[in-house]
Amino acid sequence: MGKTRDQNNVIITGATGMVGEGVLMQCLNSPEINSVLVINRKPCGYSHPKLKEIIHADFFDFSAIESELSGYNACFFCLGITSVGADQETYYKMTYTLTMHVAQTLSKLNNDMTFCYVSGGGTNEHSRLKWAQVKGKTESDLTKLPFEQVFNFRPGFIKPLPGQKYAHQFYKYINWLFPIGRAVYPNGFCTMAELGQAMINTLSHNDERRILEGRDIIALSKE
C-alpha cells in the first residue's frame, strides 16, 4: 500500500452497462484519475475533457487499435453478459475467452497495469453452478498474467448512482430494499460509488492479487 503515481490513466470496458457506466462516472469525477479511455461497441453518450472513446466491434481482435492501448496503468473491466438464457458455449466465450483476450493484450502493452475485474457474488471455480465456475476460472487465470496487480471484485446488489442512464429499470422499484439488505447482510450490498472508488483506490496499492467480496469493497472504498 501507499504507492503514489504521477498519472493515473485508466481503460474502462463495459461503459454502456450499469456497472461500467457507474465506474466511468466515478473516474471522471475523481481528481485521482487523469485520463479515461473507454472501448465500446457503441457510443457511451458521455463527453468530458478527460475522456477518450474508441468504438470497436470485435473484442476478440484488438490488432487495429493496439497502438492506442499503451500508456495506461489500469483497466477497470466491467464488460460481461448474464448467464440467464445463454447456452454454456456462448457464456464461456463471452465471459472467459473475451476477458482473457483483452487482458492478455493489455498486459503485453502495459507492464505496470492494475487489472480490476468485475466478477460477482457467488463466484467459485469449484461451484456446481456453471456460471460460477467460469467466472472463477477467469479470476484465477487473470492472476497468472504479468500485470502489476489483479483485483477480482465480487459485488452483490449494487445501488446505482443518481442519473445513471444504463441502470436496470427494476432498480427504481427495489432501491428501498438497499438499507435493509445492507443492515442484514452487508457483504451482499454496496453502492456504485463504493465500487468505483474501491477500484480507484487499488491504484495506491502495490503488487497485490486479491479477491474482494462485498465487505472488502466497502472497506477499500474508504481508504
Side-chain angles (χ1 to χ4, degrees):
M1 288 182 58
K3 184 167 185 174
T4 58
R5 302 175 188 268
D6 294 330
Q7 295 275 318
N8 282 316
N9 302 307
V10 179
I11 294 172
I12 298 175
T13 65
T16 56
M18 187 187 85
V19 174
E21 179 192 23
V23 171
L24 172 62
M25 291 170 69
Q26 196 74 15
C27 286
L28 293 179
N29 289 326
S30 172
E32 300 167 76
I33 303 299
N34 299 90
S35 70
V36 179
L37 170 67
V38 295
I39 309 170
N40 293 324
R41 295 186 180 93
K42 60 183 181 181
C44 67
Y46 283 81
S47 178
H48 192 279
K50 292 197 290 191
L51 178 62
K52 176 182 177 182
E53 184 172 39
I54 295 176
I55 305 301
H56 185 74
D58 187 0
F59 275 64
F60 295 94
D61 183 2
F62 273 4
S63 57
I65 61 171
E66 272 196 16
S67 61
E68 300 182 68
L69 303 180
S70 59
Y72 293 88
N73 66 295
C75 175
F76 298 159
F77 194 93
C78 308
L79 185 65
I81 66 168
T82 177
S83 61
V84 178
D87 62 79
Q88 289 186 21
E89 182 179 350
T90 299
Y91 185 75
Y92 185 91
K93 178 181 178 182
M94 299 304 294
T95 300
Y96 177 81
T97 308
L98 185 150
T99 304
M100 292 303 298
H101 174 74
V102 174
Q104 287 162 353
T105 301
L106 294 178
S107 67
K108 176 181 68 176
L109 297 171
N110 302 280
N111 59 11
D112 65 341
M113 177 170 272
T114 293
F115 194 92
C116 292
Y117 173 60
V118 179
S119 180
T123 294
N124 185 336
E125 193 170 3
H126 305 293
S127 172
R128 294 181 180 179
L129 300 173
K130 290 296 183 182
W131 72 263
Q133 292 176 17
V134 173
K135 291 238 177 180
K137 176 176 173 57
T138 307
E139 288 184 349
S140 177
D141 287 355
L142 285 172
T143 65
K144 299 170 186 175
L145 294 177
F147 289 115
E148 183 175 295
Q149 304 191 106
V150 176
F151 292 84
N152 292 308
F153 284 74
R154 295 180 175 179
F157 182 101
I158 306 170
K159 183 179 180 180
L161 288 166
Q164 283 203 236
K165 303 175 185 179
Y166 303 116
H168 302 301
Q169 290 297 313
F170 66 80
Y171 278 94
K172 294 180 180 179
Y173 305 104
I174 62 174
N175 269 337
W176 64 272
L177 284 171
F178 182 84
I180 301 171
R182 179 78 163 241
V184 174
Y185 182 52
N187 204 42
F189 292 77
C190 71
T191 67
M192 185 61 68
E194 288 168 335
L195 178 61
Q197 190 58 48
M199 288 190 180
I200 293 169
N201 289 352
T202 65
L203 303 181
S204 64
H205 286 228
N206 186 31
D207 195 25
E208 292 192 26
R209 276 161 165 69
R210 289 177 59 192
I211 290 172
L212 300 169
E213 304 284 356
R215 286 189 182 90
D216 307 313
I217 294 169
I218 295 166
L220 181 55
S221 74
K222 297 174 181 177
E223 288 189 3

